[in-house]
Amino acid sequence: MSQPAHKFRFQNLSVTIWRNKNDKGTWYTVNPARSYKAGDETWKETDSLGADDLLIMAELHRMAFAWIAKQMAADATARKAREAADSAD
């Protein structure tokens, strides 16, 4: 399995950002998660949130959006530089 591009965490809540690539380009996806301890004391994750989790998760999503926007700008700059270098050859 590939590594996440980035992860934001606050207490038991997190959002994981994944970078995806194909011949049409790069795009990003985000997976929210809430960690909890199961009855056998093992840690599990779910995407089910309680009412108390919603504002924190909204902030984590906002942070993910800002990170992705900055990364997409960097991706575009790198792509333009590659295209310029390829056309100069």
Side-chain angles (χ1 to χ4, degrees):
M1 191 162 125
S2 64
Q3 293 291 325
H6 200 75
K7 190 169 193 170
F8 290 102
R9 177 179 290 279
F10 183 80
Q11 296 174 349
N12 65 326
L13 300 175
S14 65
V15 293
T16 304
I17 303 169
W18 298 93
R19 180 180 291 113
N20 306 279
K21 294 182 181 183
N22 68 14
D23 57 338
K24 294 183 180 181
T26 302
W27 71 98
Y28 295 87
T29 55
V30 177
N31 294 105
R34 180 176 54 84
S35 300
Y36 65 95
K37 243 185 196 179
D40 62 357
E41 296 297 312
T42 60
W43 283 97
K44 308 272 184 179
E45 281 192 346
T46 182
D47 59 1
S48 178
L49 303 174
D52 293 345
D53 300 327
L54 296 177
L55 289 176
I56 296 168
M57 189 56 78
E59 179 62 17
L60 292 173
H61 277 95
R62 188 203 61 75
M63 293 166 65
F65 176 82
W67 187 92
I68 290 169
K70 195 178 291 187
Q71 191 61 47
M72 287 174 67
D75 292 348
T77 300
R79 185 177 61 250
K80 288 177 186 173
R82 277 193 312 274
E83 289 170 356
D86 289 346
S87 67
D89 290 341

